[in-house]
Every structure is written in C-alpha cells, then in structure tokens.
Amino acid sequence: MPNPRLMSLVHQSWRCEIDYDMKNGQNYTTLNQEMILQKISINEFDTENKDKVFCLSYLQASFFATILEDALTQMRILVECNNELRIIKTKLDMKLLVPLKYGVAQPKVTDELESIDPNNLVSNEYKLNKLDSDSLRHDLNKQLRQQRNHIKSVIYDTDAIIERLKNFVEDAALYAETESRYTDGWQRARTEQHLQTIIDNEESPSRTIEYYKRRTDHEQRVHTEVELLINIIINETLQKVEDWMNKYDRDMEHIDLKIQLKKNEYQNEHDRRVGLEDTIETHDKQMKDWNYFKEEREKARLYREKMTKSAITVQAWWRGLLVRRELGPFKVAKKPKGPKPKK
C-alpha cells in the first residue's frame, strides 16, 4: 500500500509602504499584501520507484479541491479586505473628498509650505501638527504589525486545517482501497455462486437443447444434400435447354440465310422480267413510231406530189391564158408613130 503525502508550500510576502507627498500635502498609506501559493503536489513514495506520481480518484480529488478552494478564498479575503486601513485612509483624505463630492473647485497645485510662515518657524502650532502626524504614523505602524500577526496566525491555522485534510484524504484513500478489495472479492464469490446456480438450473434444458441441436444439424445436412441433388438436376436441365436453344438459333440462322438467298433470286428474276418488259415495251413503241413516221412521210410525199401536179396544171393554165390574151411577157409591142407632116 503506497503512502501518499500532501506537500504544500505557501509563501507570503507582506509589504507596508507609507508615502508622504510634500507637494500635495496628502498622506498615502498603501498596504500591499501578496500571498503566492507556489506548490501543491501529491506524491507517492514507493519502495521501488519514488518518482511515480500517485493519482487520487475523481471523487476524492473533487472533495480535496473543494476544501482547498474554500481555504484559499478565506485567505484571499483576509489579505484583500482590510477595512480598518481603508477607513483610516478615508478619514485622512476627508478634506479632499468632501469638496470633490460637492464640486468645489480645487487649486491645481497645493503646497503645504504655503501655510507656514518662514519668520515664525518656532510656532507651537507647527510642533503640535508634527506631533499629531508622528502619533498617527506610530498608530498606523502598530495596527499594521497587529494585522500582520493576525494574518500569520490565520495562515498557521489554515496550514493546520490543510494538514488535517491531508490526513483525512490519506485515510479515505486507504479505506477506499480496502473497501474496493473487499468488494471485489465479495463480487467474485457472488459471481461464482450465481454461475454455479445457473449451471445447475440449466443442465436439463441444455441437454434438450443439445439433442434438438444435433437433430437440427442432421436435418440440415439432409436438406443440403437434397438441395444439392435438385440443383444438379436443374443445372442439367438448364444445360439441355441451352443446347436446344443454341441448335434452334443455328437452324433459324441457316433457314434465314436460305430465305434471304431465295429472296435475292426472286428479286433478280423480278428485275430481269421487269427489264425485259421495259425492253419489249420500248421496242413496241419504237415500231409504232417508225410505222407512224412512214405513214406520215408517205402522206407528205403524196401531198407534195399532188401539190406539184396542181401547181404545174395551174401554171400551164396561167401561161396559156397569158399567151392567149397576150399579157405579160407575151404582150404584142406597138409600132412607133412617124413624125407629123409640116403644115
């Protein structure tokens, strides 16, 4: 069992500074209190390895952090909330704060030496003011020492509380580990007891389950064999169907080829017959045209022959008419008349 140890180091530094400003004629008393928590660590000192860090459980660490946070908060309040010194400082600055509150104009530069007469330095008033200031400073230093002693006593009490909490955490860790070991052993024994009870109660059903399991396995194997045989038959049938389908495709392809060849032959014969019919029709048309041409030519010859004969007849008639009537070129010329006799 490792022995955890809480190591905490709290370092505090208290400083009190009193400044006196001769120009402004004001006393400023500032108390700077600083407390630094430098190191809080939890180390585990083991006989074999002293550098191994001991880690608390989440619940224990949460409790310890909560308690430590409360202690640090109280110390911070004691350090920062020094109301007595703040009240004294407010009383000293009352002459300046009251005019500032009611808006009274203040001179830009305030010199305490303005109220002192250089020719009357041995006045009792100045001595009394000096005694009051020294008395006030002495009282402030005394209160500061008392406050410092009080804070040191509070820190000592807080360290004692932290030590008690450390011991409490160590004891809690030891108790928790002991209870954990006891709980683990008790849980293992309880688990073994429950397992044995379950085995005793489930032995008979387990045998029945095993019997039906073997029977189911046997039926499954039979079913597998039957299914395999049926699949073989189905595959053979499918192979035959595929062979017949291939044969059908080949036969249909051969028949289609023959049909295509016959179609081509028929188309060729049809084209040849159509060509012959066109040739015969062309020849017939040419013969008709030739006969028509000969008939027209004969008609034209007969017409020309008839017209020629008619023209010859008319020309002969006309020539005979001209000759008979002495017209045209067949006209008889007149005899010229002689000169008339003179009277």
Side-chain angles (χ1 to χ4, degrees):
M1 173 65 186
N3 184 14
R5 180 181 177 183
L6 177 66
M7 300 178 64
S8 63
L9 179 61
V10 180
H11 175 72
Q12 61 276 2
S13 175
W14 305 93
R15 293 181 301 176
C16 180
E17 180 180 358
I18 301 175
D19 296 334
Y20 182 76
D21 191 355
M22 297 299 295
K23 293 183 180 180
N24 297 328
Q26 299 175 359
N27 291 328
Y28 294 94
T29 303
T30 59
L31 180 62
N32 296 326
Q33 301 173 349
E34 299 178 355
M35 183 181 66
I36 302 172
L37 183 61
Q38 291 183 346
K39 186 177 181 182
I40 297 176
S41 61
I42 300 175
N43 296 333
E44 178 187 8
F45 293 93
D46 196 352
T47 56
E48 296 179 358
N49 187 7
K50 293 184 179 181
D51 294 332
K52 185 177 180 181
V53 178
F54 174 74
C55 297
L56 296 176
S57 63
Y58 179 77
L59 181 61
Q60 294 174 356
S62 299
F63 287 159
F64 178 73
T66 303
I67 296 170
L68 186 60
E69 183 180 4
D70 294 338
L72 293 176
T73 303
Q74 293 177 3
M75 294 174 66
R76 182 177 59 81
I77 291 172
L78 291 174
V79 171
E80 296 181 358
C81 298
N82 194 346
N83 296 327
E84 186 176 0
L85 291 177
R86 292 186 179 183
I87 292 171
I88 294 172
K89 184 178 182 300
T90 304
K91 288 181 179 181
L92 292 175
D93 296 337
M94 188 62 69
K95 293 181 180 181
L96 178 62
L97 295 175
V98 172
L100 291 176
K101 179 179 180 182
Y102 293 101
V104 178
Q106 298 292 325
K108 295 183 179 179
V109 178
T110 303
D111 191 0
E112 292 183 353
L113 297 178
E114 291 180 357
S115 60
I116 298 175
D117 187 5
N119 298 323
N120 192 13
L121 295 177
V122 295
S123 177
N124 292 327
E125 182 181 359
Y126 301 151
K127 293 180 180 180
L128 292 175
N129 292 334
K130 182 66 170 59
L131 290 175
D132 292 338
S133 299
D134 293 340
S135 176
L136 179 60
R137 186 180 297 106
H138 179 72
D139 292 338
L140 291 175
N141 290 330
K142 182 178 179 181
Q143 291 178 6
L144 180 61
R145 286 193 299 271
Q146 292 176 356
Q147 186 71 15
R148 183 181 298 174
N149 294 330
H150 175 69
I151 292 173
K152 286 183 178 180
S153 63
V154 171
I155 292 174
Y156 178 79
D157 295 338
T158 305
D159 290 337
I161 293 172
I162 292 174
E163 186 66 24
R164 287 197 301 272
L165 292 175
K166 179 191 70 174
N167 296 330
F168 175 76
V169 171
E170 292 176 356
D171 296 338
L174 180 61
Y175 293 154
E177 185 176 359
T178 304
E179 291 177 357
S180 177
R181 289 200 303 269
Y182 174 77
T183 304
D184 292 340
W186 178 78
Q187 189 65 31
R188 285 195 299 271
R190 185 177 176 84
T191 302
E192 292 177 358
Q193 182 181 1
H194 287 320
L195 290 176
Q196 187 62 37
T197 303
I198 291 171
I199 292 172
D200 295 339
N201 293 331
E202 293 182 355
E203 184 177 3
S204 178
S206 298
R207 292 178 181 177
T208 305
I209 291 171
E210 187 66 26
Y211 168 73
Y212 284 107
K213 185 177 180 180
R214 289 195 300 270
R215 184 173 178 181
T216 303
D217 189 15
H218 177 70
E219 292 180 356
Q220 185 67 29
R221 288 199 300 271
V222 173
H223 174 72
T224 303
E225 294 295 334
V226 173
E227 185 179 4
L228 179 61
L229 181 60
I230 293 173
N231 289 332
I232 292 172
I233 296 173
I234 291 173
N235 291 330
E236 291 178 354
T237 305
L238 292 176
Q239 185 65 33
K240 290 180 181 180
V241 171
E242 186 176 359
D243 294 338
W244 280 105
M245 290 296 293
N246 293 331
K247 186 177 182 302
Y248 172 77
D249 293 336
R250 290 194 299 272
D251 294 341
M252 288 300 297
E253 185 178 358
H254 184 66
I255 292 171
D256 291 338
L257 181 59
K258 288 184 178 181
I259 291 172
Q260 188 65 34
L261 292 175
K262 293 297 181 181
K263 285 183 179 180
N264 294 334
E265 292 178 359
Y266 170 76
Q267 187 67 31
N268 293 331
E269 292 296 330
H270 180 270
D271 294 339
R272 182 170 174 275
R273 183 179 64 81
V274 171
L276 292 175
E277 289 179 354
D278 293 338
T279 303
I280 292 171
E281 185 177 358
T282 303
H283 290 173
D284 188 16
K285 184 177 180 181
Q286 290 177 356
M287 291 299 295
K288 289 180 180 180
D289 293 339
W290 176 249
N291 293 329
Y292 177 76
F293 172 74
K294 289 193 299 181
E295 290 177 358
E296 293 295 327
R297 188 179 61 178
E298 184 65 23
K299 289 180 180 181
R301 188 184 65 78
L302 294 175
Y303 177 76
R304 286 194 301 273
E305 185 179 358
K306 184 177 180 180
M307 291 301 292
T308 302
K309 290 179 178 180
S310 297
I312 292 171
T313 303
V314 171
Q315 187 176 7
W317 173 79
W318 178 254
R319 183 180 290 276
L321 182 61
L322 291 177
V323 171
R324 286 192 300 272
R325 294 185 178 186
E326 295 179 357
L327 297 173
F330 302 103
K331 184 177 180 181
V332 178
K334 292 181 178 182
K335 293 180 179 182
K337 292 178 179 182
K340 291 180 179 183
K342 296 180 179 182
K343 293 178 176 182

